[in-house]
Amino acid sequence: MFYQGGRGAASKHCALSLERSKIDLSKCKQLAGALKTNSSITDLNLRSNRIGPEGVEILGKALAKNKILVSLDISNNHIGPKGAERFFKQLSPESKLESLNLSQNTLRDDGAESVCRHLPRLFNLRSISLERNGIGVEGGEIFAKCPRLLCMRSINAAHNYIGAPALAVLVRNLIPSTAIQSLRISYNESKIDCDGAQDLALELQKFIRSNLSATSLDISGNRCLSNQVGVVLAPLQGGGRITSLVLSGLSLGDAGVSQVASILEHNFCVKSLSLAKNECGDAGAAAILRMCIARASSGCSLEYLDLSNNEITLKINDVVLPAVKSVQERQFQRILQTVHLFGNPQLDQTSMTILSRALMEDVKSGMDDLSFETKNPYDSKGSNFAMPKLSI
């Protein structure tokens, strides 16, 4: 599938997606031949094929002669650590690659070491994804100390087994970066996490306070931080540059979620907040929604809120709806543009729809520009709940 569009004011952008196209070694050779003479494709998506170690080496050789490709996704291709080493050996320092996705390739520690050893040669690379590669503590420590990461705009090391101590080193080393915009270190627990949780929390606090470029932070699923969330987010109390914050799966109860609400009430930067898959009940949800109302009253509304898969019940409407009505009567604006409340077993469809509509309704313009869908975006089988969202 091809599409064209603008990349900057002066250059053309052409992308080719061959995702799930059953590309094996034989087809990979044909593709490599085409890439050697490619003069138009800038983005190539080869996600979820059967390229393997030999195929990715052939691709690397082709890319050594390609001067136009800037984005490559070879995730979920059975590459393994040997494939990673072969691939990077073939790449030229003059490669134009800016974004590389190596997720779901079972790279493990040896593969992470290969990536870090070769990264300094790729001068143009600005985005790296190593998500779901089985990288453990040893590989995580090597990755954390890679000096080339200081030049990255986006780093995704989610869903590995790196552990808190190595994550703390990674975050500490990124504090002086003037390039990093997005950092994903979610779901990286290991057996030694309890020993490094406090250090990781303090390094994250310093990162949020001192880094001048980061706008997106995802620390989901690192449950060792469940009692440290106040420490981590302290710099956001009235300041900070983070606009997107993901705190899902941290086992936060009402007290933890209420603490997040208190910190963010006077924050004017965070626009997107996920608290999905926690242990938040009515008290925590009420605190978060009151925070949203307070921010709307101050003219700095949160745009996106995810409270899905928690423990919210029908009682939340009795607590929140009167306050929502009051602020809307004064402000004539939405509290939120998008809110997810599905997956709360005791919050039925009718109550959820009433609350969602109230939070997202613009009193002046009404609800004409809102649409409803029943599919849970986290569940391919769908959901029984109606989920309001903003139509674009």
Side-chain angles (χ1 to χ4, degrees):
M1 179 180 69
F2 290 89
Y3 68 88
Q4 288 188 325
R7 178 182 289 274
S11 60
K12 287 189 176 180
H13 171 61
C14 183
L16 171 63
S17 177
L18 295 172
E19 182 174 348
R20 302 180 190 278
S21 296
K22 300 180 180 179
I23 296 174
D24 54 14
L25 181 58
S26 174
K27 293 179 181 177
C28 195
K29 290 177 180 178
Q30 298 175 28
L31 177 62
L35 284 175
K36 290 177 183 179
T37 57
N38 166 53
S39 61
S40 59
I41 297 171
T42 57
D43 293 29
L44 179 59
N45 178 8
L46 297 174
R47 177 191 295 267
S48 300
N49 283 290
R50 300 193 292 265
I51 293 174
E54 292 181 51
V56 81
E57 181 179 16
I58 292 169
L59 277 181
K61 289 179 181 178
L63 291 177
K65 298 181 179 181
N66 186 296
K67 305 300 181 184
I68 193 168
L69 197 73
V70 296
S71 177
L72 177 63
D73 185 343
I74 48 175
S75 58
N76 193 21
N77 266 291
H78 314 284
I79 291 171
K82 290 182 179 179
E85 178 67 20
R86 291 180 181 183
F87 175 70
F88 279 103
K89 271 187 175 180
Q90 300 301 326
L91 290 182
S92 164
E94 281 130 24
S95 167
K96 300 298 182 182
L97 269 184
E98 297 177 10
S99 175
L100 179 60
N101 189 343
L102 288 165
S103 301
Q104 293 180 275
N105 275 301
T106 324
L107 299 186
R108 305 196 187 282
D109 291 348
D110 289 344
E113 189 274 332
S114 292
V115 171
C116 295
R117 183 157 33 82
H118 290 285
L119 275 184
R121 296 192 304 109
L122 303 178
F123 301 121
N124 292 306
L125 198 65
R126 293 293 179 267
S127 175
I128 185 78
S129 177
L130 298 177
E131 184 174 353
R132 297 180 190 274
N133 268 299
I135 300 171
V137 174
E138 183 179 345
E141 289 174 349
I142 295 170
F143 183 70
K145 296 174 182 177
C146 179
R148 186 63 178 77
L149 296 182
L150 280 170
C151 302
M152 294 291 167
R153 286 193 293 263
S154 175
I155 298 171
N156 180 4
H159 291 272
N160 285 292
Y161 307 99
I162 293 173
L167 289 179
V169 174
L170 172 63
V171 173
R172 182 188 310 129
N173 290 341
L174 288 174
I175 290 173
S177 170
T178 58
I180 188 69
Q181 296 174 10
S182 174
L183 178 61
R184 287 194 64 203
I185 54 173
S186 52
Y187 293 94
N188 260 296
E189 292 188 332
S190 76
K191 294 179 180 179
I192 59 174
D193 271 338
C194 293
D195 297 331
Q198 189 171 7
D199 287 343
L200 175 57
L202 290 172
E203 295 301 338
L204 283 166
Q205 182 191 85
K206 294 174 187 175
F207 178 79
I208 293 172
R209 177 182 291 118
S210 303
N211 184 272
L212 301 176
S213 57
T215 57
S216 178
L217 180 63
D218 183 351
I219 58 172
S220 299
N222 295 303
R223 290 171 293 179
C224 63
L225 294 173
S226 61
N227 294 323
Q228 304 283 339
V229 68
V231 175
V232 173
L233 302 183
L236 294 178
Q237 194 154 15
R241 296 170 179 82
I242 300 295
T243 59
S244 175
L245 186 61
V246 187
L247 304 173
S248 303
L250 292 177
S251 299
L252 296 178
D254 286 338
V257 173
S258 297
Q259 192 173 25
V260 173
S262 176
I263 290 171
L264 295 183
E265 182 170 346
H266 301 291
N267 177 285
F268 300 142
C269 291
V270 175
K271 297 296 183 182
S272 174
L273 175 64
S274 177
L275 289 162
K277 300 179 182 178
N278 279 293
E279 299 168 7
C280 171
D282 293 336
I288 283 290
L289 293 174
R290 287 193 188 102
M291 175 270 289
C292 293
I293 292 168
R295 286 188 49 160
S297 299
S298 302
C300 57
S301 299
L302 202 68
E303 295 175 1
Y304 173 92
L305 175 64
D306 190 347
L307 285 172
S308 60
N309 296 294
N310 277 283
E311 299 171 5
I312 305 168
T313 74
L314 300 172
K315 297 178 182 178
I316 190 68
N317 283 6
D318 296 334
V319 177
V320 174
L321 288 178
V324 170
K325 183 177 180 182
S326 174
V327 71
Q328 286 180 327
E329 286 175 350
R330 294 197 310 272
Q331 300 294 325
F332 299 100
Q333 63 181 26
R334 288 187 182 93
I335 309 299
L336 290 159
Q337 290 186 17
T338 303
V339 58
H340 293 330
L341 293 165
F342 54 81
N344 288 282
Q346 296 186 56
L347 188 61
D348 63 28
Q349 179 178 353
T350 301
S351 299
M352 185 179 68
T353 301
I354 290 171
L355 179 57
S356 298
R357 289 178 68 98
L359 290 167
M360 295 165 57
E361 183 175 16
D362 188 322
V363 175
K364 186 174 287 186
S365 63
M367 295 291 292
D368 293 339
D369 59 347
L370 294 180
S371 68
F372 292 81
E373 65 178 38
T374 57
K375 187 177 180 181
N376 177 342
Y378 297 127
D379 178 6
S380 60
K381 297 180 181 179
S383 166
N384 293 323
F385 297 126
M387 184 184 67
K389 67 174 186 178
L390 188 66
S391 288
I392 299 175

